[in-house]
Amino acid sequence: MPEPEEASTSSTNVTFKSLGLIDPLLEALDQMKFKAPTDIQAEALPHALQGRDIIGVASTGSGKTAAFALPILQKLWEEPKGLFACVISPTRELAYQISQQFEALGSAMGVRCVVIVGGMDIMSQKVALAKKPHIVVATPGRLNDHLENTKGFSLRTLKFLVLDEADKLLDLDLGPVIDKILKVIPKERTTYLFSATMTTKVAKLQRASLSNPVRVEVSSKYSTVSTLLQYYLFIPMVKKDVNLVYLANSLASNSIIIFTRTVHDAQRLSIILRTLGFPAVPLHGQLSQSARLGALAKFKSGGRKILVATDVASRGLDLPSVDAVINYDVPTSSKDYIHRVGRTARAGRSGKSITIVTQYDVELMQRVEAVIGKKMELWPTDEEEVTLLRERVDEASRLAVNELKDQSKAGSGRKRRRDGAPAADDVDRDDDMVEAGMPTKRKKNRS
């Protein structure tokens, strides 16, 4: 197979109109306050509007969704027939966000979108699919489930396939499920593959699914943005909780995402913060889908100033008002660090990140600094103030441990049938954790 052709469009003084978009889309872009194309949009749209397959390599927050949604909607305006496009996403939250952007951009066209993800009622999804939507946005597991088990549903009329965050899809070992889906969709189609990085797995998927693609790459160096101020806090392991509360107190007027490595810590820290009067809400793979969407809505609206999340929130989500990111744990992967801190300082705005480093994290921290090509600054702390907080934080920690024990007992009582098998919503939750990169109970992981 020939190597993908490199795109060479110059994005200087490019407008959405000059790219050849139709009036209904230009009106929607104007209403959404999209003033000018981002680099990835300016590079990808001319080739996409000519009908070419696209490989898009761009970092988080670069405007990838509009880069693939606009050409799909333009073609749909010309040929409004049946199920038109399928977008495959690695996480549920990203799937909902993609659907919302399709509906906003296609508002003048009356575009119909359906989100098909795990953790939601499968019968209502079957009803929605029977109404012949134009766009299906799905996570791979639940899409494959419908393809195998929902009578009358197929992707035989599909004109467009989009694989979004392809590197994340393949990191979650969803390759075999995607292979199954590729076997039951038309060979004659347009395919867009978007990824933050081009790994060997992504290159293999590209060869299997794209035909004579154009490769569009912006910000090829994997890095953080210049408007982000990056700090670290070096403390003993036993002082992590009290220093986190100190940071939350210091940044009290800011909207903050606190990232943790485990579901347990996300839940525990959100309880500690709420006990101490901070407006915190958790987001992780073991929450029900409605709870997850509710947490995001509260954070986006400003009803909650602090979101305590696992890496389920590190990719793709558009949270425009995040002032600061705190890494309670140093991520084991430098890529994960870049995705996490990419939740702030978006679209040219400034932001700050603070990473809590203990004696066990020094090597991980050095790796992160090597990848981003800069040394982080030490965040100034008032030791006396930290000491004064210690007693209250210890008491809140004890309350959190007891509350989690009570929740665990109540949950295990509700969620087991008499035969000892997991209840249906347990299986759904495990399905979701696979989609979101979370360890499941079946793997006996302490997280």
Side-chain angles (χ1 to χ4, degrees):
M1 173 173 281
E3 284 299 303
E5 179 185 323
E6 296 285 342
S8 58
T9 308
S10 169
S11 57
T12 311
N13 299 323
V14 171
T15 64
F16 285 114
K17 187 167 187 175
S18 72
L19 291 171
L21 292 174
I22 54 176
D23 286 342
L25 294 177
L26 292 173
E27 286 166 22
L29 286 162
D30 191 50
Q31 286 175 358
M32 293 169 73
K33 304 287 190 289
F34 284 21
K35 300 296 182 193
T38 64
D39 289 347
I40 189 68
Q41 292 160 8
E43 295 281 341
L45 283 168
H47 303 284
L49 292 170
Q50 289 169 15
R52 298 289 300 274
D53 282 9
I54 302 286
I55 302 166
V57 184
S59 57
T60 183
S62 59
K64 287 181 292 190
T65 306
F68 61 72
L70 288 166
I72 289 172
L73 290 168
Q74 181 132 326
K75 195 68 176 172
L76 179 63
W77 179 265
E78 296 165 12
E79 300 175 27
K81 293 178 189 169
L83 202 167
F84 201 74
C86 178
V87 183
I88 298 180
S89 153
T91 67
R92 300 173 180 187
E93 284 74 26
L94 183 55
Y96 279 99
Q97 188 171 289
I98 290 167
S99 174
Q100 287 162 6
Q101 190 143 93
F102 263 103
E103 286 172 349
L105 289 168
S107 55
M109 303 162 54
V111 68
R112 296 191 307 278
C113 292
V114 169
V115 179
I116 301 297
V117 295
M120 301 301 276
D121 178 54
I122 203 160
M123 285 309 299
S124 59
Q125 290 178 353
K126 290 184 180 192
V127 170
L129 289 170
K131 291 178 180 174
K132 308 295 181 194
H134 301 117
I135 316 285
V136 169
V137 187
T139 46
R142 182 56 68 92
L143 177 64
N144 191 56
D145 194 357
H146 280 287
L147 285 168
E148 291 180 347
N149 301 306
T150 298
K151 193 174 179 183
F153 172 62
S154 79
L155 298 175
R156 282 195 294 270
T157 62
L158 198 70
K159 299 287 190 295
F160 287 87
L161 174 69
V162 181
L163 298 162
D164 194 22
E165 301 277 7
D167 51 345
K168 183 70 171 174
L169 283 167
L170 297 172
D171 281 348
L172 301 182
D173 294 326
L174 292 167
V177 182
I178 293 167
D179 288 342
K180 280 186 180 181
I181 294 165
L182 289 173
K183 284 175 184 167
V184 296
I185 59 177
K187 293 278 188 287
E188 293 296 315
R189 64 172 192 271
T190 303
T191 306
Y192 302 148
L193 184 152
F194 282 83
S195 183
T197 53
M198 277 305 291
T199 63
T200 51
K201 284 182 180 177
V202 174
K204 186 178 175 185
L205 179 61
Q206 164 216 316
R207 289 194 293 273
S209 57
L210 280 77
S211 171
N212 189 26
V214 176
R215 177 167 169 154
V216 175
E217 186 162 355
V218 299
S219 63
S220 57
K221 184 176 183 295
Y222 210 63
S223 63
T224 53
V225 295
S226 59
T227 52
L228 174 69
L229 302 172
Q230 299 175 73
Y231 301 92
Y232 73 95
L233 194 57
F234 187 56
I235 52 161
M237 181 83 166
V238 293
K239 293 186 178 179
K240 280 181 85 170
D241 286 1
V242 69
N243 276 274
L244 179 74
V245 172
Y246 170 79
L247 288 173
N249 206 34
S250 304
L251 300 165
S253 60
N254 294 265
S255 61
I256 306 165
I257 301 182
I258 298 168
F259 280 107
T260 69
R261 197 173 292 150
T262 67
V263 167
H264 179 266
D265 273 340
Q267 197 69 26
R268 185 180 66 83
L269 292 172
S270 66
I271 295 169
I272 289 171
L273 289 163
R274 282 203 305 271
T275 302
L276 295 170
F278 293 95
V281 63
L283 177 67
H284 54 72
Q286 287 186 16
L287 292 172
S288 70
Q289 187 58 34
S290 58
R292 286 163 69 168
L293 292 173
L296 275 175
K298 284 175 188 170
F299 185 68
K300 278 186 173 183
S301 68
R304 294 286 186 276
K305 282 284 193 181
I306 301 175
L307 186 70
V308 190
T310 58
D311 280 315
V312 72
S314 69
R315 280 222 186 190
L317 297 185
D318 185 20
L319 301 166
S321 61
V322 180
D323 301 312
V325 166
I326 299 174
N327 289 307
Y328 178 77
D329 302 294
V330 182
T332 51
S333 158
S334 300
K335 281 197 298 186
D336 288 340
Y337 172 85
I338 290 167
H339 283 298
R340 286 180 179 190
V341 301
R343 298 305 94 208
T344 185
R346 292 169 79 82
R349 287 182 289 268
S350 62
K352 59 178 78 75
S353 68
I354 307 159
T355 300
I356 297 176
V357 183
T358 73
Q359 65 270 38
Y360 306 109
D361 304 317
V362 175
E363 190 180 336
L364 286 174
M365 191 63 175
Q366 288 170 340
R367 267 190 241 157
V368 168
E369 288 183 328
V371 168
I372 64 174
K374 63 173 73 170
K375 291 281 184 187
M376 295 183 209
E377 292 181 43
L378 182 65
W379 181 266
T381 55
D382 183 331
E383 285 299 325
E384 194 176 327
E385 199 175 318
V386 173
T387 304
L388 288 171
L389 283 168
R390 186 67 188 259
E391 196 174 321
R392 290 175 60 212
V393 173
D394 286 347
E395 177 59 26
S397 296
R398 283 190 289 274
L399 290 169
V401 168
N402 290 334
E403 189 172 325
L404 286 170
K405 279 180 185 171
D406 291 344
Q407 286 176 5
S408 179
K409 283 176 189 170
S412 60
R414 279 196 309 271
K415 292 196 168 57
R416 296 280 147 183
R417 296 200 301 261
R418 275 181 229 159
D419 61 5
D425 58 345
D426 256 352
V427 175
D428 262 338
R429 260 211 289 262
D430 276 0
D431 168 49
D432 174 60
M433 286 184 272
V434 171
E435 288 168 1
M438 302 300 303
T440 71
K441 283 178 284 185
R442 294 177 207 164
K443 293 180 184 173
K444 303 254 190 259
N445 190 302
R446 65 187 181 87
S447 305

